[in-house]
Amino acid sequence: MTDIPVSRLRNFCIIAHIDHGKSTLADRLLQDTGTVSTRDMQEQFLDNMELERERGITIKLQAARMNYTAANGQEYVLNLIDTPGHVDFSYEVSRSLQACEGALLVVDASQGVEAQTLANVYLALENNLEIIPVLNKIDLPGSDTKRIKNEIESIIGLDTSKAITCSAKTGLGVPEILQAVVDRIPAPSDTLDQPTKALIFDSYYDPYRGVIVYFRVISGRINLADKILLMASKKSYELDDIGVMSPDQVSVKELHAGEVGYLAASIKAVADARVGDTITLLNSPANDPLPGYTEAKPMVFCGLFPTDADQYPDLRESLDKLQLSDAALKYEPETSSAMGFGFRCGFLGLLHMEIVQERLEREYDLDLIVTAPSVIYKVNMVDGEVTLIDNPATLPDPQKRDSIEEPYVRIEIYAPNEYNGTLMGLCQERRGEFVDMKYITVERVTIIYEIPLAEVVTDFFDQMKSRTKGYASMEYHIIGYRRNDLVRLDVLINSERADPLSTIVHREKAYQVGKALVEKLKELIPRQQFKIPIQASIGSRIIASESISAMRKDVLAKCYGGDISRKKKLLKKQAKGKKRMKSMGKVDVPQEAFMAVLRLNN
Amino acid sequence: MSDSLHLIPPRSAYLHIPFCHRRCFYCDFVVVPLGDKANGDSGPGSNSIKSYLNILHREISLFKIDIPLSTVYIGGGTPSLLNSSQLGSLLNHLEKNFGFQLGCEITLEIDPASFEENDLEEYLAIGINRISLGGQSFDDNDLEVMGRRHRCSDLIEACGWLNKAYMQNKMLSWSLDLIQNLPGQNLVSWKKQLKQALNFSPPHISIYDLSIESGTVFEGKEKKGELNLPNEDQALEMMTFSSEMLCKEGFSRYEISNFALPGHASRHNRVYWTGAGWWGFGQGATSSPWGERFARPRTREAYKDWVENQELKGIHYSLDKSNCRPMDLDEQIMTGLRTREGVDLEELAKRAGWSQRQCDDYLPLLLLRWKSLIDRGLMKCNGKRFQLSDPEGMQISNQFLVEMLLWWDSLPKDVVLSPKIEAPL
């Protein structure tokens, strides 16, 4: 399988915005090359996490090797490397792009270029990838290939005269795409004789075999008999297995420069074989690693607490296990008087946070309370020290601190121009500072703001989508810290401070947020057997208050023979709801309440 | 089989008559609407009724047990859509196959406007001795809103006949059903209802809070925000008023939704709350002769198939000894707490097969969960019995039950699984 010359290898990926049909096209390529028989075809073959299928997005990337006989009668090997399609995972995207020589730029022929696409296209251009524009979904009535081609030319500056039109759904245009991959994407450079370097572009944890590493051999060769060295983690391993993904794993003896494959070497955690690390041979190592390796840096933090304190050991064990397969997940124990034992966890972004939470609840059967996300604040203390805090509850007293700085991002929003006003309004409300607005076509604009990250990790994305009927897309990157007049807003439930509900806000917004927050909590916390005051405070000053009146009536109207089973079902549902609540002091607080600060605008 | 597990064969039977003139807007029972002009004898729907009765008789035929019944309840639906000879032959069949104890309580549910005074005479003549009247409301507007067929004048007339028959000692007792918490209702209008009801001196009154069931017209209206229901505080006022007013009139609230003058509590309904067994017959009917509840198919066709299947097997499901085990303790507590006398937890636990050791280990955990409620006086401890206070405890009873179910959920598996035992037949 590996005797294919480098000249007949093609490595490529697909760049597309969510819903523009990347996964469907990938499926179709696998089918048309006979890599996966139609019979075995599950929809969206490459997205094999349950969660990915449900959300229709790619979180963990995958790869597939296809054999293809080109028009000239020669056999080619095409490696499709899938890329995750979300801003939280842009580092992973950049690594998988580095493993390719070309990319299919898939654009929905009725929708046009979106922010995510653009960000990834720029990454691809930086990596000198050959880009083949593909207009997908031309079978849909709303498609307008001419307009979209213009858009691609004017926004990205790509020549679209040789763009391919296709419908991944019907299969139209797919053979042309395969031929273009062979004709237009360059073969990898022939570097068989150089010292071995292979780039890790993905890995996952297999409970039986340890970490499975996906890599692209950049130079030299890797043989099953070799001992490998990972240059960043400085760990060496004997290989248990190497092979290719077609797309099921098929073992081979050797992989050489240009090829894409997997290896298993009893590696214990994905953190030991991080994406971007360079594989070389222990006995004849390369001098320098491949460029571009960086450690994952969590941007968003939240507390994870088991609803039932007895589940704390299970939560710890589940996080340990999850970390084996998720190198970006960081966590440390957190104790709160209100919440008991839990963990403070760091994530790449909101989506990453949601994914981890869902996997913990689904795969490990835990009931969790997740507190509202926070960013890392820099606190300049009076004594000149600088403290970093990722948990509002731990913000030092006002007397001890001199100032607080918060992270800012530069955010770029793409949208039809009719939404300019509402989007600028949104950015303004979120303390954004206007930078620029450009017309990319007659009807579409890009709006650029500098905005506190804390304002983006709340419900910014949802608001942007709902205000633009889903037409806007966004992209952001960190630009540094800025000093602001920030205060900690506390919440008191039944006169006790509820740590996990504390939040850091701008002083000018504190009153408004405090009022909205107690109102929202009143709505979210069910009536209990006694009256519950709910207050928002800054320091010892109460700035807003509400109260939940006592529940006095909760009874089943009637219960005779045939009713008993049904009524019991109702009560069980009520009991289940109560079980999922966290008892704070004497008050049962439902999960949603901890996220109340994210839902103030609903 | 443990000594404490003495199962007593059922002494009660429930018969379900699924026919109604129409489906009321709050109703999610197993009913077959036949139209306003339906009539058991010869009118529209009579064939439907006849063929159903045929299957019902066939189900009863599967029983030949010489353990006489002490209560019979014919419910629905609208059983008064049947004529007295149809009802009589059902009773005869039951008496032939089970026997009736002396003083057997035989209740018939009837609807105002579905019977006349002479129908009542005939019902009493065939052996029915207790009537439950589905009055629901004395307010024409309420009745309209509920989609009821009768009007206030019909109800007044029916109450008059029942009161007269009762005063003449022609029946043991009668009951009036009212629905509380209807759209637009408030304390003033509810007081009027209750006073009007008391004018007819019913010895038993059932007051049900309106509950919005799925699939009903009311549910649809509620979702659209068209159901102007009283708020929690108003509902509470009405419920408290009912309890206090009826107590003053000599009634005892012997169950959360049932009030009776001394000696008039429904013996049949008590069966459901005390954990005793009952037979059941008819489409969608539930029976629980030995503890495990069994609900018959809810559609006519499926019920018919099921009866035929029982006939083929030659044994009725309820008589199959392998289906026999004591009622689960959690359900015993759930129903028992609805009653005035409450529950003796230890006794119930032992009935469900618990050892003294298990009682000592696990029952205190339940009391611990109830502690904050007990501390507030919502439950009283009377010797070994735990009783909800009236009205505060009763109107918040779900809080006790939810804690109880959480407790039940936390117990080891072998404790919550009641043992299979042999039917004492």
Side-chain angles (χ1 to χ4, degrees), chain A residues 569-586:
Chain A
K569 221 182 262 177
L570 280 180
L571 287 167
K572 272 188 165 169
K573 206 170 144 197
Q574 199 177 337
K576 204 173 158 198
K578 190 179 164 91
K579 204 174 161 189
R580 284 177 66 90
M581 287 193 243
K582 187 84 188 172
S583 203
M584 300 187 70
K586 283 182 185 162

Side-chain angles (χ1 to χ4, degrees), chain B residues 284-357:
Chain B
T286 299
S287 59
S288 174
W290 315 114
E292 192 165 52
R293 275 188 309 284
F294 171 71
R296 283 150 189 71
R298 289 170 70 90
T299 64
R300 165 70 77 75
E301 275 311 304
Y303 170 60
K304 184 174 175 226
D305 291 347
W306 179 80
V307 170
E308 281 169 0
N309 187 266
Q310 304 295 297
E311 288 173 337
L312 280 175
K313 282 189 183 152
I315 183 164
H316 190 277
Y317 179 88
S318 299
L319 300 174
D320 182 347
K321 293 186 183 192
S322 63
N323 295 324
C324 185
R325 55 182 192 78
M327 190 170 173
D328 285 335
L329 178 59
D330 60 333
E331 296 181 357
Q332 295 249 22
I333 298 174
M334 179 181 146
T335 52
L337 269 187
R338 293 185 69 84
T339 61
R340 170 169 216 94
E341 68 267 25
V343 289
D344 179 337
L345 292 173
E346 201 171 303
E347 188 207 325
L348 290 184
K350 286 182 176 168
R351 249 204 262 167
W354 282 23
S355 65
Q356 183 65 45
R357 174 75 196 273

